[in-house]
Amino acid sequence: MLAPVTQTTDARGRLVAAAQELFAARGVSATSPRQVLAASGVGQGSLYHHFPTKHDLALAAVGATVDDALAESLQALSAEAPALERALAYLGRPRDALAGCKVGRLTSDQAVMDDEAVRTVVGTYFARLVDALARVLAEAGLPDADARDRAHAAVAVVQGGYVLARATGDPDAMRAAVRGMAALLRAEAGR
Amino acid sequence: MLAPVTQTTDARGRLVAAAQELFAARGVSATSPRQVLAASGVGQGSLYHHFPTKHDLALAAVGATVDDALAESLQALSAEAPALERALAYLGRPRDALAGCKVGRLTSDQAVMDDEAVRTVVGTYFARLVDALARVLAEAGLPDADARDRAHAAVAVVQGGYVLARATGDPDAMRAAVRGMAALLRAEAGR
DNA sequence: GTCTATACAACGATAGAC
DNA sequence: GTCTATCGTTGTATAGAC
């Protein structure tokens, strides 16, 4: 019995993957268990066996999405480069601006904000991201309090960039916002 | 006939006001015509008389909300003060961070993004806001292209501040983001 | 563990009397 | 212009056989 994982991992895994995709594309509230069923290819009974309520499914899918997103973001911040360049690398990462942030969009989703457990997962994502960026900016030479403010601003610029790009239908809005922030950070560092 | 507006303005106006409130609190997708009915106090038939579909109601309510929000924002930018201070006044305006931006949140709302007319109204709001802020920053001495980038960044910081505050459940996240941005703009101006 | 069948409420919208 | 009654669909969830 060296392969301890049962075959059920498959059905469960497919359900979570399908839910992640649909939640990212249409939001949690706007996605029905029926749609997840259809996309995953499993039967109705299976879904409710693994996830008795939509809440359980949302928690699993959002948790997986947050884990993925956090790993990707922290990667840019922990590269082999000077601290300021690592911060700018996070800012400049390629993003699908018109799709919106898979995590950030959840804060406008009623089904998420009304669910304490899910909302906490989303909150932890941003808390950890800001913490990591603040450490990098402190390493770049800023006093701790200033580094935290700049980190909040930088993460906010990315989130707001998504909003601007989606609202205007123009991905350049995100690029302009990030460019503006990067220029300001460089200017301050070169003081 | 010097009073051209009929009494229907009342029922219609109450419907729009109720819709604005509900849309701001719960989103467009998550708000049903039934809820608008209940909140406004008018009858079922009246709603569908004035607004044959939910689309029509959304367009009217979102349009009204955008008009209000734009007027408020532009007010801070057109005060009697030096240009940089007007930009910082916009950034520092008091905001209900945990409630989210009544306009910005709409970009995560499926019912809005799928509706060309409504989405255009939301897009125009941000386009006009960025334009106005860019003009102020140019007046403060920045080259036009730089002013536009900084304006995108500043508007994005506010939108992202809402996201951070809602995600973490902490209004201070918005304040930190705005503080960080303001400090960067001041530093650049005092170069 | 997975399936089909079904329950019951709420959805957006319409009908037709007044 | 406004009302009550109702349509057909989809929502989340459950029942019970296999």
Side-chain angles (χ1 to χ4, degrees), chain A residues 87-155:
Chain A
L88 296 179
Y90 161 74
L91 266 180
R93 283 190 53 216
R95 295 183 173 92
D96 187 352
L98 295 183
C101 176
K102 286 173 184 176
V103 184
R105 282 182 64 193
L106 299 173
T107 59
S108 302
D109 194 314
Q110 212 51 45
V112 171
M113 295 301 283
D114 290 348
D115 186 322
E116 253 301 296
V118 178
R119 213 227 55 188
T120 299
V121 170
V122 174
T124 302
Y125 166 80
F126 284 110
R128 298 228 266 164
L129 182 54
V130 168
D131 282 352
L133 185 52
R135 277 194 298 273
V136 170
L137 289 174
E139 190 187 329
L142 283 172
D144 278 8
D146 288 354
R148 278 199 69 76
D149 285 354
R150 308 301 187 269
H152 276 87
V155 172

Side-chain angles (χ1 to χ4, degrees), chain A:
Chain A
M1 260 74 98
L2 288 176
V5 179
T6 75
Q7 306 85 318
T8 62
T9 303
D10 194 39
R12 198 193 147 94
R14 273 156 64 200
L15 284 165
V16 171
Q20 283 187 258
E21 223 171 292
L22 287 165
F23 288 174
R26 322 244 343 140
V28 177
S29 296
T31 300
S32 69
R34 274 176 149 103
Q35 292 173 307
V36 176
L37 276 183
S40 69
V42 310
Q44 184 122 346
S46 292
L47 194 165
Y48 284 99
H49 172 73
H50 292 291
F51 305 102
T53 69
K54 186 177 177 179
H55 156 85
D56 300 300
L57 179 60
L59 193 56
V62 169
T65 295
V66 161
D67 286 348
D68 294 352
L70 198 56
E72 282 178 37
S73 293
L74 295 184
Q75 198 176 342
L77 289 174
S78 59
E80 193 77 40
L84 179 64
E85 294 307 315
R86 299 205 310 270
L88 296 179
Y90 161 74
L91 266 180
R93 283 190 53 216
R95 295 183 173 92
D96 187 352
L98 295 183
C101 176
K102 286 173 184 176
V103 184
R105 282 182 64 193
L106 299 173
T107 59
S108 302
D109 194 314
Q110 212 51 45
V112 171
M113 295 301 283
D114 290 348
D115 186 322
E116 253 301 296
V118 178
R119 213 227 55 188
T120 299
V121 170
V122 174
T124 302
Y125 166 80
F126 284 110
R128 298 228 266 164
L129 182 54
V130 168
D131 282 352
L133 185 52
R135 277 194 298 273
V136 170
L137 289 174
E139 190 187 329
L142 283 172
D144 278 8
D146 288 354
R148 278 199 69 76
D149 285 354
R150 308 301 187 269
H152 276 87
V155 172
V157 160
V158 171
Q159 291 301 313
Y162 280 117
V163 172
L164 290 184
R166 281 172 66 83
T168 59
D170 180 7
D172 285 341
M174 162 76 91
R175 290 193 200 99
V178 164
R179 204 163 50 224
M181 188 69 192
L184 288 168
L185 285 172
R186 272 198 201 282
E188 185 178 51
R191 84 210 100 105

